[in-house]
């Protein structure tokens, strides 16, 4: 038996418990590091998030796409304020 198999659980129920614990731990970490936003968006906004996700290799999900979109928007606003026409 290799080391990878020695850490695996024995029964399906043990596996479910291990997965649930891992998800709970991850969720708590996310709440400590990030703020949660639950919202409804327009279909075109959803399509835009998917475009951002496809364009930037570091964007792995819609939450990261929202962060990237807001970052780009704020960067654009800063440039507009620095160079008013």
């Amino acid at each position: 038996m290799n080391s990878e198999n020695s850490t695996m659980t024995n029964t399906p129920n043990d596996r479910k418990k291990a997965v649930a614990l891992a998800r709970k731990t991850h969720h708590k970490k996310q709440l400590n590091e990030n703020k949660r936003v639950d919202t409804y968006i327009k279909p075109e906004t959803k399509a835009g998030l998917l475009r951002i996700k496809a364009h930037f290799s570091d964007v792995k999900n819609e939450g990261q796409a929202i962060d990237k979109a807001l970052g780009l928007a704020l960067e654009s606003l800063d440039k507009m304020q620095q160079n008013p026409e």
Side-chain angles (χ1 to χ4, degrees):
M1 183 188 290
N2 65 30
S3 64
E4 186 177 355
N5 287 339
S6 66
T7 60
M8 296 191 63
T9 57
N10 296 330
T11 67
N13 197 33
D14 289 342
R15 171 103 174 104
K16 285 181 185 179
K17 287 179 183 178
V19 169
L21 180 60
R23 289 187 69 188
K24 185 175 182 178
T25 302
H26 175 74
H27 180 71
K28 283 184 178 182
K29 180 181 176 211
Q30 290 297 320
L31 288 176
N32 287 336
E33 296 176 0
N34 302 303
K35 298 295 179 195
R36 181 165 172 76
V37 176
D38 187 17
T39 186
Y40 293 98
I41 58 174
K42 296 177 184 176
E44 55 270 20
T45 303
K46 171 94 171 174
L49 293 174
L50 294 176
R51 285 182 61 195
I52 290 170
K53 186 176 160 189
H55 186 75
F56 296 97
S57 63
D58 61 326
V59 175
K60 304 294 183 203
N61 57 52
E62 290 175 353
Q64 291 175 350
I66 291 169
D67 289 340
K68 180 64 85 173
L70 185 57
L72 293 170
L74 292 173
E75 185 179 304
S76 177
L77 285 174
D78 288 345
K79 286 180 183 177
M80 288 172 53
Q81 289 175 344
Q82 291 172 358
N83 300 317
E85 292 182 26

